[in-house]
Amino acid sequence: SKKNEKLFEICGRSFRICEILSESHALHVWPSAQVLAEFLLTSPHLLRGKHVVELGAGCGLAGIAAAFCEPASMTLTDYCSRSDYGHVFPPAQPSPDSPAADPGDTVALSNCILNCRMNGLAPTEVIHGAPTADRQVRVCALNWADFGEPLLSYGPDPDVILGADTFYESADFEPLLATLYELLSRKRDAYFVTTYQPRSAHVLLRMLLPKWGFCVEEVAFTAHCLAPHSDEDLCPPAVGLYILRLCQPPSAALPVPGPTGPTGPIAAPLAPPHE
């Protein structure tokens, strides 16, 4: 694998982000992450004093930007395939008492920690127990639709959940929606802010959202971070910005969400917000 450090200039701030080439999609900064970071930096009041969690943080650009919006707490999460992922991280300085992590299973989270440090944040690596007072962010594993520990049982329930291009693989749609349902149902006014590039599975996603009881609001936002630098540059990709809220329980015929998601009839598709 080859590391590639990039500099992102967004809203007058410079972010140093390390990508890891030839690994998973998670280790590349996609346009959706840049747009979400810009939106948050232009709307810091949405996060100020709030408990914020990012799902599928990848390289961490959006969550790192969010940490500069004065949240009460900021937690960046991503997938880890280890069954003991609740205890996967060694301290910054390994000791004989700390378990060794498999780099192949924790590379995304380790890279996210590195990027936090490169941008002046002090991430908490040990995810069980209260973080020390001087820590600014948490970085931890969270596997979607895993309703045992540690589904954020170690921190405050989120007011705002962030996700940049988390609706990518159609096989992950229902595990992600199950996770969102579980987390958002803990607080009446909690919501999910996401950026999204429409793909071939867009119709499926529109069918699943009402099935899980979500209402969708499209936010009008013009991002400048993806603007082409010259007429010869390719047009920037279309990235939509959306807010998801729980507006009703999942379909009445469905059981309470579990690790495999509900089964049953699919509700009628949502009408596009501005059609």
Side-chain angles (χ1 to χ4, degrees):
S1 300
K2 179 182 178 182
K3 290 191 175 183
N4 179 40
E5 184 180 323
K6 289 185 177 180
L7 184 67
F8 295 88
E9 300 283 350
I10 304 175
C11 296
R13 285 188 176 272
S14 299
F15 297 94
R16 296 171 57 208
I17 298 294
C18 182
E19 298 179 323
I20 300 183
L21 308 181
S22 302
E23 287 284 355
S24 70
H25 296 299
L27 304 185
H28 174 75
V29 177
W30 294 95
S32 291
Q34 299 176 60
V35 173
L36 182 55
E38 181 175 344
F39 173 71
L40 297 173
L41 290 169
T42 57
S43 309
H45 61 281
L46 295 177
L47 304 185
R48 189 173 294 121
K50 305 292 187 181
H51 297 293
V52 184
V53 170
E54 183 180 12
L55 302 181
C59 292
L61 175 61
I64 290 169
F68 289 94
C69 297
E70 302 179 28
S73 67
M74 182 66 226
T75 303
L76 293 84
T77 73
D78 211 316
Y79 175 80
C80 179
S81 61
R82 287 174 59 104
S83 60
D84 60 341
Y85 65 84
H87 304 274
V88 78
F89 293 116
Q93 298 297 325
S95 71
D97 298 326
S98 57
D102 180 352
D105 285 336
T106 64
V107 61
L109 292 164
S110 298
N111 189 60
C112 187
I113 289 172
L114 171 64
N115 286 331
C116 287
R117 289 178 175 150
M118 287 170 56
N119 289 278
L121 302 176
T124 301
E125 295 124 318
V126 179
I127 69 172
H128 281 288
T132 55
D134 62 339
R135 298 298 190 182
Q136 296 173 278
V137 297
R138 297 182 184 91
V139 176
C140 60
L142 192 155
N143 293 350
W144 298 344
D146 183 345
F147 291 96
E149 283 194 341
L151 185 61
L152 297 187
S153 58
Y154 45 80
D157 293 335
D159 300 296
V160 183
I161 302 175
L162 309 175
D165 232 357
T166 48
F167 292 110
Y168 185 84
E169 297 284 354
S170 59
D172 293 332
F173 286 0
E174 291 215 83
L176 173 56
L177 290 171
T179 302
L180 287 170
Y181 179 88
E182 168 65 20
L183 296 176
L184 293 177
S185 63
R186 299 178 183 183
K187 284 188 176 179
R188 178 183 298 272
D189 297 325
Y191 55 90
F192 176 53
V193 183
T194 185
T195 43
Y196 170 70
Q197 286 184 250
R199 297 183 176 88
S200 58
H202 181 64
V203 173
L204 172 62
L205 178 59
R206 287 176 54 195
M207 295 174 68
L208 290 175
L209 289 171
K211 175 184 175 181
W212 282 94
F214 285 101
C215 295
V216 183
E217 173 190 354
E218 183 173 13
V219 179
F221 179 70
T222 302
H224 301 285
C225 57
L226 302 180
H229 297 290
S230 71
D231 293 338
E232 297 179 355
D233 288 343
L234 295 175
C235 293
V239 177
L241 178 66
Y242 302 90
I243 294 178
L244 274 63
R245 291 182 172 89
L246 280 177
C247 55
Q248 60 188 13
S251 297
L254 306 183
V256 174
T260 57
T263 57
I266 296 178
L270 284 177
H274 297 301
E275 281 188 1

